[in-house]
Amino acid sequence: METCVMTQRKELFSFEDLIAWQKGHKLLISVFKQLKEKENLVDPQFDSHMKQTAIAICSQIAAGYEQTIPTMTIDFLRSAKGSAASLTTQLILAKELGYFESELTAELYALAKEVSKIIQGLINYISNKNESEQKS
């Protein structure tokens, strides 16, 4: 049975130690704080959807970490990356609707893009590691 590079090191750390999860968590907390400050201004459905999307990033990274098959891990990480893209779109919309100020949106947007890049790096690492293990 193939093993995932992340599961080979589980005894050494947990999903909370992954930089992708840490940055995603920082983004999640920032989004929640901003939405709480604007709770009377933001459409409740938009607020809920934005929170769910931010939660999904961290949740999917954590779920991917728990997988033992590399392709399943990568599937969860791709979902997390997709959620980061969705959140980026929602941040743009939040700015355009006047929910978030431009400076705040720029900070959150940059963090969402950074999370997406880190997740892609993790996907690439696991893919390359899996390919080299299969050739051995």
Side-chain angles (χ1 to χ4, degrees):
M1 180 173 159
E2 39 182 270
T3 59
C4 177
V5 69
M6 288 169 51
T7 60
Q8 292 172 357
R9 297 187 57 205
K10 277 188 184 174
E11 64 279 353
L12 301 178
F13 67 98
S14 68
F15 67 82
E16 294 100 331
D17 296 316
L18 295 170
I19 293 170
W21 187 89
Q22 292 171 3
K23 296 279 187 170
H25 185 258
K26 180 180 177 182
L27 178 61
L28 166 65
I29 296 301
S30 296
V31 166
F32 266 70
K33 284 181 179 179
Q34 290 308 311
L35 288 169
K36 183 162 181 66
E37 287 179 16
K38 309 285 186 182
E39 67 184 323
N40 294 328
L41 302 174
V42 178
D43 175 75
Q45 288 180 318
F46 185 82
D47 176 286
S48 176
H49 190 67
M50 198 170 196
K51 286 176 180 176
Q52 289 172 0
T53 304
I55 290 169
I57 296 168
C58 291
S59 296
Q60 291 162 343
I61 292 168
Y65 173 83
E66 295 298 328
Q67 302 305 308
T68 57
I69 300 171
T71 53
M72 290 180 69
T73 298
I74 290 169
D75 286 345
F76 277 99
L77 293 174
R78 285 184 178 138
S79 291
K81 191 172 186 312
S83 292
S86 294
L87 186 60
T88 302
T89 300
Q90 293 163 10
L91 289 167
I92 293 167
L93 185 57
K95 177 186 164 207
E96 291 171 350
L97 294 173
Y99 296 158
F100 292 176
E101 293 80 23
S102 293
E103 186 176 305
L104 170 66
T105 303
E107 290 173 24
L108 295 175
Y109 181 90
L111 185 54
K113 287 294 202 179
E114 181 183 10
V115 168
S116 182
K117 287 179 185 177
I118 293 169
I119 293 169
Q120 185 60 54
L122 192 51
I123 290 168
N124 293 346
Y125 176 79
I126 294 168
S127 294
N128 292 338
K129 182 82 170 164
N130 189 41
E131 286 175 15
S132 66
E133 287 177 359
Q134 287 180 350
K135 290 179 184 177
S136 301

